[in-house]
Amino acid sequence: YSPATLVADACRHGVLVEPVSVHRSSWRWTLEGECGIRAGFMQLRGFSESDGERIVKERERGVFRSVASFCDRCCLTRDKLEVLADSGALDCLGIDRRTALWQVSGWRRRLPLEGSAQQELLPGLQPMGRVEKNLLDHHLSGFSPEEHPLALIRSRLRARGIVDSASLQDVCDGAEVYVAGLVITRQRPQTAKGTFFVTLEDELGFVNLIVRCSLFEKHERLL
């Protein structure tokens, strides 16, 4: 299963999932508190174990006070710094993602003799919205610790008569029903006589679909 599916199921079982943070994360996932887990740097796209270990070693010498301080001490490449900014791993420094990305970009262009110069302010860009953050989280980390993608469009789905997974148990047997979700598995076992199985996931759980052989052959390309 994908990290997003595992994280979503953990959240539904009461586990508090914390995102990658330069103040808290190790290379691997770690336990945090009584019922929480913290994502490790290994979860970030394009990040290496040596990158994560460099951050941990510098953190052990002292807390990071600012983006500039973090960049000066860790000396990561531009692309790694941008991943940290975009993923929210620098949010713990008291800034939003776009501000972090702006400051990271400014640091990489700064010359040693200009160390005391002040960087220009972020030019009027709005903080990222929920959808933008969710998409970036999935692209860079493989999951979002805040909410499932379908939660962002649930009101629109409900308006179209689409039922969530938790409400399926209230639907009468034999009734026509519309569902939606992320496809997390597709299976067509040889022992199933041509039957095709699909598992959908939404913010509340799973929906198991059984596609009979005749219907599968009719819509094979789509399925």
Side-chain angles (χ1 to χ4, degrees), residues 32-84:
E32 186 157 309
E34 294 184 357
C35 58
I37 53 176
R38 170 74 63 176
F41 294 113
M42 64 179 294
Q43 206 59 49
L44 296 180
R45 186 174 185 178
F47 235 67
S48 68
E49 187 169 358
S50 61
D51 296 325
E53 289 178 347
R54 182 181 301 181
I55 295 173
V56 173
K57 287 180 179 178
E58 280 299 323
R59 188 175 67 211
E60 291 172 349
R61 296 189 177 101
V63 177
F64 302 119
R65 302 294 182 183
S66 65
V67 171
S69 170
F70 175 83
C71 294
D72 289 338
R73 290 169 57 187
C74 294
C75 295
L76 297 171
T77 58
R78 168 78 174 267
D79 58 329
K80 304 299 175 61
L81 292 172
E82 290 182 349
V83 167
L84 289 169

Side-chain angles (χ1 to χ4, degrees), residues 190-209:
Q190 293 182 350
T191 56
K193 299 180 180 179
T195 303
F196 187 69
F197 301 94
V198 183
T199 301
L200 302 181
E201 177 195 70
D202 64 15
E203 70 274 30
L204 299 174
F206 305 100
V207 179
N208 295 310
L209 308 180

